[in-house]
Each structure stands twice: as C-alpha cells, then as structure tokens.
Amino acid sequence: SSLPLLALPILARHLAESRAFRPSSVRPPLATALRGGHARHFWPMAGLSFALAAFSGPAANFILVRLVNDLGWTQGPAALMLAIVSTPAVVLGLLVGGRTADIAGRRPTQAVSIVIGITGTLLFYFSESSYALGFGIFLSVLGASSFGPAFASQRAELFPTGVRATATAWLTNAAIVGGLVGFLAGRFVIDAWGVPVTIASLSGVLAVASLLLVWLPETRGTSLTEPVDPLESPGAMPA
C-alpha cells in the first residue's frame, strides 16, 4: 500500500489544478457546509451517508458469518464464492451506475441502486440455496457499487468549490459514524434477533432514509466551472 507514495513527486510536478478551483481571499469556516444555504443539501446527504453505512457495513461483514456459522459452509468455499460473485458485480455496478447517472440522472440512479442493494441483501440473508445466496450477493454488491458514482457526482455538484472538499469530509465522517452505529446496533440485538432479522431491520432504516432524495435537486448537467455561490468569487464575503 505504500508503493503509490513513490508516484507523489511525479504527481506534484505534472498534475494540474482543477479548472473548477478559484483561489479566494475568504476562508470559509469549517462548519460552513453544515449551515445556511448549504445545509438544505448537506443534511439530506449526511442522512443518506449515515444510513447507507449503518446498513452496508454489517450486511457486508456478516456474509461470511452467515455462510460459515449459520449454513455450515467452510471458510474456503465461502470466501471463494464471495470473491467470484462480488468482483464482476463491483465492475458492472460502477460502470452501469456511472453511465446511468449521466443519462437518467443522479437521483433515480441512487433510488434504484438502493432498491437493488436491499433486495439482494434480503435475498441472501433469508435464503439457503447456493444459487439464491450467490445471486443475492451479486445484487447487493451491484446496488452498492452503482450507488457510489451517482452519489459522488451529486455531492460534487451540490457544493461550490469553496466548501466542496470540506463538505465531502463531513459526509465521510457521517458515514463512519453510521457504520459504527450499525455495528453497535447489531452487537446488542443480533443474539436476540439473529443475523437475518438484524440486517433486515437495518435495511428498513436505509429504505426510510432513501426518502431524503426527495429533498435533493437533480444535478445532472451541472457545470462545476461556473460560480454558483458567493464563496466562488474572489474577495466575496460569506453570507
């Protein structure tokens, strides 16, 4: 993992600054993305990030637990099936999700991806057939992978350059907290409810959170190089 560090001198010399970045004499506060005009976009996206991580973290990590502990598979075949099924699902999900987000829009792509991911996860956790288990993993990974490009694009398009990276950092932290909450919830109820019911409950949280997409505008076709906020103009004062 340290090998990419060798490329830093090359990147520092040849990687150009984004055309969307405009230096400004104004330094927006750390919490700018969380309040004011940005808040109407930030908090729905934070809710989505939180709920998605709370669901997908435990759902992904309990796959081997279910195969080995609940269904009696050995570690080798379980890991092999996970690798064989999930790898093409990731590749296909990224390509299809990104392409669909550019053609049909960010919001519908995210909504369909959530439905596919939840459907596949429930199929896996409530099935015992090898074919159903494999297909469930495929759909689950496909949904998660196709959600990513649409969400990342919309995130970039909703926040101006002056706060874009900071908003991304806050949203990433929301996802981290969501993952921790999901695992903590699973820790306290999994013994009483079992893995399938626990994951189904977390999927319900994500299904409800998906309604937050209604409060987010469609951003397909948005230009990142045109100022859309006072912070984009050098010397402008924040609202």
Side-chain angles (χ1 to χ4, degrees):
S1 60
S2 63
L3 288 178
L5 294 176
L6 299 176
L8 284 179
I10 300 175
L11 294 175
R13 181 177 303 176
H14 298 288
L15 188 62
E17 179 58 75
S18 168
R19 291 186 298 109
F21 178 74
R22 294 178 175 85
S24 174
S25 59
V26 177
R27 178 177 296 180
L30 183 63
T32 299
L34 283 65
R35 63 194 187 198
H38 301 307
R40 70 182 185 275
H41 297 151
F42 174 82
W43 290 109
M45 298 205 84
L48 279 172
S49 297
F50 179 93
L52 183 65
F55 164 70
S56 61
N61 281 274
F62 286 136
I63 287 178
L64 289 178
V65 173
R66 171 161 169 74
L67 289 174
V68 175
N69 294 351
D70 294 352
L71 301 179
W73 289 46
T74 59
Q75 285 283 353
L80 181 62
M81 185 180 78
L82 181 60
I84 291 176
V85 173
S86 62
T87 300
V90 170
V91 175
L92 185 62
L94 291 173
L95 291 174
V96 172
R99 183 62 173 168
T100 304
D102 283 339
I103 295 175
R106 285 38 168 147
R107 291 200 310 173
T109 301
Q110 291 176 75
V112 173
S113 297
I114 290 174
V115 172
I116 293 174
I118 290 177
T119 300
T121 301
L122 295 181
L123 177 62
F124 170 80
Y125 280 100
F126 287 92
S127 300
E128 296 186 1
S129 165
S130 298
Y131 295 105
L133 292 170
F135 188 53
I137 293 175
F138 179 85
L139 289 179
S140 177
V141 176
L142 180 70
S145 301
S146 60
F147 181 90
F151 184 82
S153 298
Q154 189 177 40
R155 180 181 62 200
E157 291 156 353
L158 284 177
F159 297 99
T161 301
V163 298
R164 184 172 296 134
T166 305
T168 299
W170 279 114
L171 291 173
T172 301
N173 285 326
I176 293 173
V177 173
L180 291 174
V181 170
F183 279 112
L184 286 174
R187 169 66 179 84
F188 287 107
V189 303
I190 199 169
D191 289 336
W193 293 0
V195 174
V197 176
T198 300
I199 298 301
S201 300
L202 293 174
S203 73
V205 174
L206 177 58
V208 173
S210 66
L211 298 176
L212 293 171
L213 288 170
V214 175
W215 279 271
L216 294 174
E218 178 56 57
T219 59
R220 180 172 61 93
T222 300
S223 173
L224 298 184
T225 59
E226 296 177 1
V228 294
D229 185 88
L231 289 174
E232 297 292 80
S233 302
M237 296 299 295

